Amino acid sequence: MKKPTAIMIHHTAVSYQFNHDQFVANNSYHKNQGYTRSSLGFYLGYNYEINREGLIRQARKDGEITCACYQKNMNDGHCLHIAIDGDFDHEQPFKNEIYALRDKLRALTKKYSIIKSAIVFHRQYAPKSCPGKNMDLSFIRSLV
Ligand SMILES: [Zn+2]
């Protein structure tokens, strides 16, 4: 287990219209992808996933190995990964998702003394748009 020093934000890239609550589907999908089983018994690659109602579910303990970003050792446990249900290249996040993300970011940055600039987007590390073109990093950091 590592001490968390960073937080990375993701989207699931699956639209609400196909699945309103994606934790279970993503867990199965990641199991089929061969992702490691977490100490909590899940295969989901992220530490946390937020659904459209703002419900946050945890799949991996803070500091545990993740399967979320293969660049720059971002899976070694030092980075906490939070995924938000939705495809934010094509739709906007729900208010409840942003409120839940805000509360979680506040709690995690306080608990582990993580600085605001260590809140990052997946697209800064990998050639993809994650967490979607409609997500703005300075806005997300301003929530903390
Ligand atoms: Zn991502």
Side-chain angles (χ1 to χ4, degrees):
M1 293 288 233
K2 293 236 178 192
K3 182 191 182 298
T5 56
I7 302 172
M8 183 177 283
I9 312 297
H10 303 261
H11 68 157
T12 60
V14 175
S15 173
Y16 303 120
Q17 49 185 321
F18 297 115
N19 188 345
H20 290 182
D21 191 2
Q22 302 176 4
F23 182 93
V24 172
N26 285 331
N27 189 57
S28 306
Y29 176 66
H30 288 177
K31 184 178 183 182
N32 292 335
Q33 297 284 104
Y35 291 9
T36 58
R37 187 176 184 273
S38 77
S39 67
L40 299 175
F42 296 101
Y43 296 88
L44 187 79
Y46 316 108
N47 299 86
Y48 299 96
E49 184 166 332
I50 301 174
N51 78 2
R52 66 187 298 189
E53 277 79 38
L55 176 69
I56 304 174
R57 275 172 288 192
Q58 184 168 15
R60 295 177 185 268
K61 286 186 178 171
D62 298 351
E64 190 171 2
I65 295 286
T66 56
C67 304
C69 173
Y70 292 91
Q71 288 78 9
K72 300 199 174 170
N73 300 319
M74 294 306 257
N75 282 333
D76 70 0
H78 85 277
C79 183
L80 300 169
H81 295 270
I82 303 176
I84 308 165
D85 287 2
D87 175 1
F88 306 129
D89 278 331
H90 301 104
E91 55 199 1
Q92 296 291 337
F94 277 74
K95 278 200 171 70
N96 285 341
E97 292 183 309
I98 294 297
Y99 292 146
L101 178 64
R102 175 199 64 193
D103 293 348
K104 198 68 197 169
L105 287 175
R106 286 179 182 172
L108 291 171
T109 52
K110 189 172 178 199
K111 183 172 184 183
Y112 298 113
S113 302
I114 296 172
I115 54 173
K116 242 187 230 196
S117 58
I119 298 170
V120 297
F121 278 1
H122 192 185
R123 63 172 172 246
Q124 295 171 259
Y125 290 80
K128 40 173 64 187
S129 64
C130 185
K133 288 182 289 193
N134 295 333
M135 292 289 268
D136 178 69
L137 183 59
S138 44
F139 169 70
I140 297 300
R141 285 177 176 165
S142 78
L143 297 171
V144 177

